[in-house]
Amino acid sequence: MLLSHAAARRVVFVGGKGGVGKTSVASALALAQARAGRRVLLVSTDPAHNLGHLWQCTVGPEPQPLAPGLDAVELDPDATVAAHLRQVGDALRRLMPPHLAGEVDKHLSLSQDAPGMHEAALLERIAELVHDGLDRYDLLVFDTAPSGHTARLMALPEMLTAWTEGLLQRQERSERFGAALRSLGRDDGIGARALGGDAPAATPADRDQAIRALLHRRRHRFEHLRATLADSERTAFFIVLAAERLPVLETIELHAQLARAGIAVAGLVVNKRAPRDAGAFLAGRHAQEAVHLDTLHAALPALPLQQLPLLASDVVGIAALEAFGALLAASPETL
C-alpha cells in the first residue's frame, strides 16, 4: 500500500505520534523509491532529528547524499528562524531609511522568540523546498514532527496565504496614497520627515516595487504549497502509529485536523505489531492491540491500513533500512 501510493506521487508526508517509527518508515520508503530509479529528497522537519542516527552519518540543512539517487536534509527550527530573520533584515534595511537600521535590528531580535515564528519560518523553508525541489527531484519525502506540531504546520499555508494577500492589498493602498501625496507636493521627502529622519535609502517608488515583489513571491510560494498539499494526485499523507490506545486516539484526532486543513490522508501504517505465534505474552499483546485497531477501524473505516511487524533488532544503517523497505512491499494489511 505505502510503496504503491508513493510510486505514483511527487510528495509524501509521514506523520504521527512521537516514537512510533515515522523516521524509519520515511527513510525506508525514500530508499526503496531511490532503488527503483527515482531521484528522492528526504526531509526531516522534526526538531528532535533522528535521520543522522538512523543513517549513521551527519545530516544538515543542505542536501547531502545518503545513497545513489537519495539526498537528505534536516530542517533545524532555530537555524531556520535565524536564516529567515537574516533575510527579512537584509530586505528591510534596503527598504528603510538608514537611521532606522537600529529599529529594524530591535524588531528582529524581539521576533526571534515570538509565538508562531518557528512554524512560520519552517513553513517558508518547506514551501521553498516544494517549489524548487520538484524541479530537481522526482519525489520529496517529509519526515514530520509529532502530530500536534504537524497539524498546525499543515494549516498554516491557508492562513499565511490569506495574510500575505491582505498585506499586498494594504501595500497597494499605501502605494496609491503615497503617489497621491507626491503628485500634490512633488516632495519625495514627506515620508522621511514624518519619520523624523533624512532622505530614505530608496525612492518611495523603488521601495513600493521591492515590497510588492517580495510579497508576490511569498504569496506564490504559499499558494503553490497549498495547492500541492491539497492535490491527492501529487501528494500523499500517511499517518504512522502503534497499535496502542493513545497513538490510536491521536491518529483519529490528527486525521480530523488534517481534514479541516483540506488535506486528505492516503493511508495508515501500524508499526511494531506484536506477533501472535511467539509465546503467550506476545499473543496476549497481539489480542490487546487488535482491540485498539478495532477502535481505529470504526473511526476511519475507509482508510487503507498496512501493518508492519515488531522487529527483533533496531532499524539502523542502510542494510537494515533495505530490509525494512522489503517489509513495506511485502506486509499484508492484517498480521
Side-chain angles (χ1 to χ4, degrees):
M1 181 268 290
L2 184 63
L3 289 183
S4 60
H5 275 71
R9 303 300 195 281
R10 299 293 312 279
V11 181
V12 169
F13 283 87
V14 179
K17 184 176 173 62
V20 296
K22 296 187 302 293
T23 302
S24 299
V25 170
S27 294
L29 169 64
L31 180 59
Q33 287 293 291
R35 293 288 195 243
R38 303 181 80 188
R39 295 169 301 162
V40 183
L41 178 65
L42 175 60
V43 183
S44 171
T45 70
D46 190 343
H49 292 302
N50 290 313
L51 280 185
H53 301 301
L54 197 67
W55 287 86
Q56 297 179 307
C57 65
T58 301
V59 180
E62 297 301 324
Q64 172 184 323
L66 297 178
L70 174 60
D71 295 341
V73 169
E74 286 185 341
L75 302 184
D76 180 87
D78 292 329
T80 302
V81 168
H84 173 73
L85 291 178
R86 277 197 303 272
Q87 261 187 342
V88 172
D90 290 344
L92 286 176
R93 290 184 193 92
R94 289 196 304 269
L95 300 173
M96 301 294 287
H99 74 280
L100 290 180
E103 291 299 314
V104 170
D105 292 338
K106 180 180 177 182
H107 171 74
L108 295 178
S109 177
L110 292 173
S111 299
Q112 184 84 30
D113 297 313
M117 176 56 72
H118 278 204
E119 286 90 348
L122 196 60
L123 190 73
E124 293 260 14
R125 184 73 174 111
I126 291 173
E128 178 186 353
L129 285 170
V130 171
H131 186 271
D132 300 338
L134 291 178
D135 291 332
R136 296 180 53 199
Y137 296 96
D138 301 312
L139 176 66
L140 306 180
V141 178
F142 286 89
D143 170 31
T144 70
S147 304
H149 183 276
T150 297
R152 290 194 300 274
L153 199 64
M154 294 297 103
L156 275 178
E158 186 76 26
M159 291 186 289
L160 289 180
T161 298
W163 183 69
T164 303
E165 183 65 38
L167 286 179
L168 270 169
Q169 292 174 2
R170 289 179 179 85
Q171 195 270 341
E172 287 166 2
R173 287 198 295 269
S174 174
E175 183 180 350
R176 289 196 296 271
F177 179 69
L181 280 178
R182 291 193 296 274
S183 65
L184 284 173
R186 304 306 303 163
D187 186 355
D188 288 344
I190 292 176
R193 290 204 301 275
L195 292 170
D198 301 323
T203 68
D206 290 340
R207 188 163 59 244
D208 290 340
Q209 185 176 6
I211 291 172
R212 187 167 59 251
L214 285 171
L215 291 176
H216 274 295
R217 187 181 71 172
R218 198 169 189 266
R219 181 179 64 177
H220 172 71
R221 284 194 171 170
F222 284 139
E223 286 178 342
H224 179 264
L225 178 60
R226 182 178 62 177
T228 301
L229 290 175
D231 185 355
S232 59
E233 296 295 318
R234 282 192 295 171
T235 302
F237 196 108
F238 295 97
I239 302 178
V240 181
L241 67 147
E244 299 171 1
R245 181 175 179 273
L246 290 182
V248 164
L249 295 177
E250 192 165 314
T251 295
I252 295 169
E253 177 57 28
L254 176 58
H255 179 272
Q257 291 172 328
L258 292 171
R260 288 194 291 270
I263 299 171
V265 174
L268 307 172
V269 179
V270 179
N271 194 24
K272 305 178 184 178
R273 186 77 160 95
R276 55 181 152 194
D277 55 355
F281 176 81
L282 289 176
R285 183 70 195 170
H286 182 93
Q288 180 61 59
E289 290 174 351
V291 173
H292 299 310
L293 292 184
D294 286 342
T295 301
L296 182 67
H297 181 70
L300 305 172
L303 280 184
L305 184 146
Q306 182 171 5
Q307 300 186 48
L308 301 174
L310 178 67
L311 301 178
S313 58
D314 294 334
V315 180
V316 177
I318 194 165
L321 285 167
E322 285 185 319
F324 194 54
L327 291 175
L328 293 180
S331 289
E333 293 191 0
T334 59
L335 287 174

